[in-house]
Amino acid sequence: MKQLKSWLSGLVAVCMLGALLPASGAAADPTETIELRKVTGADTVEISILAAVDSFMAAQAVLEYNSEKLYPVHWGAAGGAVTVREGAGWQDAVSAKTMAPGGVAGKPSLVYQTAEHKGYLYLGAESLTDPLSDEDAQDGAVVTVRFRLTAEAAAEAEADEQALLGWVGLAPDDICVSAPPGFCGSVTTAEGKTFVYAADPAGLDQRFTPMAAPALKAVKGASRYADAKLEPGDYTVTFFDWDGKVIDAISTKQDARENVDKITTEWKKPGGCLSGKKGYDFYGWLRVYQESRALKTAGGTFVAAAAAADYQTEAARADFADFSDLERNIIVQAAYVENEACNSAVDDATKIYYTVSDPVYNRYGTANETEGKYSITYTVKRENSAGAGVTKLEEPAVYVVMKPKNNGQFVVTKIDLQNADETTFEVVPTKAMESVDVTVINTKGYASWPQSPARSDVTSARNADFVREGTVAYLRDQAIVKLASPDKETEWDQFVDETAFRDAGLSVSGVSAAKENILNAMRGLTEAQRKAVTAADLQKMINNAYSPPAL
């Protein structure tokens, strides 16, 4: 049974937890504890998920740790450091092996760190056995990963293990949302009922039940797996979706075919992470390698094809992963093929066009009669004007043309886009620019990118719009900042002046009085109401005629 759990680890898809069978019968709601165990007399810390649940299927947590104090290491006598990449998100994560109940390889964790010495850890466990035996449960510990402390931190934690609570905690909500489970903590029972901790439980999908925040407990004692030795043949497969986002990672034996087939079948079900790609159906797993910040195949096969036949060439077939006899840990990426709905519902040439949203404006810092910097943010979607999915571009970018006032020379630039179904980009024109035009282009195969074909309509922003609307947003946002730090000098004090009110199209009889009236009116609003304040609202605030909306 222990060996069965080792290779079955990870078969229940994280992204499918909410689609499992409904719970039956009444039972106590599960809870989750994160144990930080300082191993007595050693420089190691073992981080475990302790799940208190009547019938166990899965548990996961997302943690933040101080990478100046501790770092992940491999199991075994050597215990060398895991090479953790510095990155901006889970697409840059690497896997670190874990131990599961029974002393076998568990589901791999995922880790990455930032330049600010913040490390992020996704730790998860899954099992198809129910329930775990008392022998295997290890006081509820369903998965354990090992970290090493720096010499100074080890001495501090040896003297007082509670110091660990200052170095490890739950990750911020924005990190949790983008992590594989999508939550800071969750437990799923064998009946398929998922309990989730999220910072905003009101926003949870109705399939999930809120649970209390995972508790963190620091202890000192013997290692849970003092003689841990991962068996030969234990390998890690990390799965990425076609946009480079991590889906999950599993531990498996050398012949991983059945393991991968089962988890893929779950992910392909309606609502799964391999379904719902507009205009595309899942085809298979490409063997990929890290190249700079991108994932690449050896033969250059792209993750989207016009037809299945495109994947049947000798070169393409060689790029698909062979899970029958793994020789090392591998990473794979989902590949898709167009279906009949791709590029549909539009009759003309725009059926293959991406859509670009209306601009969202803001301003950066000070501005005067002739100078100022304005933010224009757009959202790009891989869908046409009718909402149908369009052919995925291999190298999408945005062609930006800024036209200066007084017929000056045009400023032309290119912004490479993240290759996701929905992404954003920002353009920052100065006050000297008369207009800004943006167009999505296909740069694949074009050495001279200005000659690349358009793959969206032109979206324009005029000086009068980005100056006025950008300044309105700036006034609103700086008022919010001032309310949060009333005793601190902010941009509200320095840069919100007569020019700002004029650029925003607002009438004031005195700058100081107008600013005070705005702060007084916004003080009683909720955070959401403050962020929704419009130019018309600001004018009413200035005139002491504003009434807050009903909650």
Side-chain angles (χ1 to χ4, degrees):
M1 182 63 71
K2 292 179 181 179
Q3 296 306 315
L4 178 66
K5 276 186 284 184
S6 177
W7 74 264
L8 284 179
S9 171
L11 288 187
V12 181
V14 170
C15 60
M16 284 295 294
L17 289 178
L20 298 172
L21 296 176
S24 61
D29 288 354
T31 60
E32 192 172 61
T33 299
I34 308 302
E35 181 189 83
L36 313 176
R37 177 177 291 252
K38 168 61 176 71
V39 178
T40 306
D43 61 356
T44 53
V45 171
E46 292 175 358
I47 302 178
S48 302
I49 293 180
L50 279 57
V53 56
D54 288 338
S55 58
F56 174 77
M57 179 180 284
Q60 26 256 326
V62 183
L63 305 175
E64 180 180 273
Y65 66 91
N66 185 333
S67 60
E68 285 190 306
K69 296 287 187 179
L70 66 170
Y71 52 92
V73 293
H74 298 288
W75 290 89
V82 174
T83 302
V84 180
R85 288 197 293 263
E86 186 177 294
W90 295 102
Q91 69 273 12
D92 301 308
V94 299
S95 61
K97 288 193 174 181
T98 67
M99 297 302 294
V104 296
K107 176 180 176 179
S109 64
L110 297 172
V111 287
Y112 76 95
Q113 64 188 41
T114 69
E116 293 76 29
H117 306 297
K118 291 182 179 180
Y120 296 102
L121 166 69
Y122 161 59
L123 189 60
E126 294 168 3
S127 176
L128 296 186
T129 62
D130 173 43
L132 295 176
S133 69
D134 292 338
E135 175 190 356
D136 286 347
Q138 297 233 356
D139 302 322
V142 293
V143 64
T144 301
V145 67
R146 181 173 282 177
F147 277 70
R148 181 167 295 142
L149 294 159
T150 63
E152 181 180 352
E156 189 175 346
E158 183 70 17
D160 180 10
E161 65 274 9
Q162 300 306 306
L164 295 170
L165 297 176
W167 306 333
V168 182
L170 294 180
D173 195 53
D174 59 329
I175 300 295
C176 296
V177 169
S178 61
F183 312 109
C184 289
S186 68
V187 176
T188 299
T189 68
E191 294 81 15
K193 186 174 182 179
T194 299
F195 294 79
V196 166
Y197 167 69
D200 181 15
L204 283 180
D205 188 292
Q206 63 181 358
R207 298 172 299 172
F208 304 124
T209 302
M211 76 173 187
L216 275 87
K217 177 177 70 173
V219 301
K220 186 164 64 175
S223 169
R224 286 188 177 275
Y225 301 102
D227 300 320
K229 183 185 294 183
L230 293 182
E231 299 176 10
D234 279 345
Y235 296 94
T236 297
V237 180
T238 303
F239 299 88
F240 288 80
D241 210 343
W242 68 348
D243 55 6
K245 293 180 180 177
V246 176
I247 296 175
D248 209 345
I250 63 170
S251 182
T252 183
K253 297 299 184 183
Q254 276 187 288
D255 188 345
R257 288 174 295 182
E258 185 176 2
N259 197 338
V260 172
D261 286 347
K262 288 184 178 181
I263 199 169
T264 302
T265 298
E266 290 296 323
W267 285 341
K268 287 169 62 178
K269 291 179 179 178
C273 45
L274 299 180
S275 69
K277 301 293 193 293
K278 285 189 174 183
Y280 281 87
D281 296 323
F282 175 77
Y283 181 85
W285 295 106
L286 290 166
R287 175 76 181 274
V288 292
Y289 308 87
Q290 187 81 19
E291 183 178 291
S292 184
R293 296 294 294 271
L295 298 172
K296 300 287 187 182
T297 61
T301 302
F302 186 46
V303 295
D310 296 342
Y311 288 140
Q312 299 303 316
T313 65
E314 183 177 353
R317 287 199 304 271
D319 278 338
F320 280 88
D322 178 5
F323 297 105
S324 64
D325 187 17
L326 300 183
E327 296 179 351
R328 59 178 62 87
N329 299 337
I330 66 171
I331 57 177
V332 296
Q333 189 170 20
Y336 295 80
V337 64
E338 289 184 18
N339 57 35
E340 293 180 356
C342 195
N343 305 319
S344 64
V346 176
D347 294 331
D348 58 26
T350 64
K351 66 182 181 181
I352 63 169
Y353 277 8
Y354 281 53
T355 56
V356 181
S357 70
D358 291 334
V360 176
Y361 302 107
N362 215 308
R363 190 185 97 178
Y364 288 124
T366 185
N368 56 34
E369 296 292 339
T370 59
E371 296 179 348
K373 296 181 179 65
Y374 301 87
S375 168
I376 310 178
T377 303
Y378 303 85
T379 298
V380 177
K381 293 184 179 181
R382 188 190 58 79
E383 59 184 49
N384 59 29
S385 59
V390 300
T391 297
K392 185 179 181 69
L393 298 178
E394 189 165 350
E395 296 179 5
V398 176
Y399 191 165
V400 182
V401 179
M402 296 193 216
K403 178 183 178 182
K405 295 178 180 178
N406 303 319
N407 295 319
Q409 186 173 1
F410 286 15
V411 178
V412 177
T413 189
K414 175 172 72 78
I415 300 174
D416 293 321
L417 291 179
Q418 179 185 356
N419 206 347
D421 281 2
E422 182 173 326
T423 189
T424 61
F425 69 94
E426 180 186 38
V427 180
V428 183
T430 66
K431 207 168 193 176
M433 294 298 167
E434 179 60 38
S435 63
V436 178
D437 292 343
V438 299
T439 312
V440 176
I441 57 175
N442 176 21
T443 63
K444 176 67 174 179
Y446 290 86
S448 176
W449 63 262
Q451 307 302 318
S452 302
R455 288 297 297 268
S456 79
D457 289 329
V458 178
T459 301
S460 299
R462 304 302 171 190
N463 179 277
D465 296 323
F466 64 72
V467 170
R468 181 183 66 254
E469 298 299 329
T471 308
V472 167
Y474 178 77
L475 289 173
R476 176 200 64 216
D477 292 351
Q478 292 308 315
I480 293 173
V481 171
K482 184 62 181 177
L483 289 170
S485 306
D487 299 325
K488 180 181 178 181
E489 187 175 58
T490 66
E491 291 191 28
W492 178 262
D493 305 293
Q494 301 175 54
F495 302 146
V496 175
D497 52 18
E498 185 177 354
T499 299
F501 284 108
R502 184 170 59 250
D503 284 351
L506 301 173
S507 300
V508 299
S509 56
V511 171
S512 296
K515 292 166 69 173
E516 188 63 28
N517 288 349
I518 290 173
L519 293 180
N520 287 337
M522 292 183 68
R523 194 169 280 116
L525 302 181
T526 66
E527 188 69 18
Q529 289 173 333
R530 290 175 180 177
K531 291 180 179 179
V533 165
T534 65
D537 292 333
L538 288 174
Q539 188 64 68
K540 290 178 181 178
M541 291 176 180
I542 292 167
N543 298 338
N544 280 323
Y546 177 77
S547 297
L551 293 175

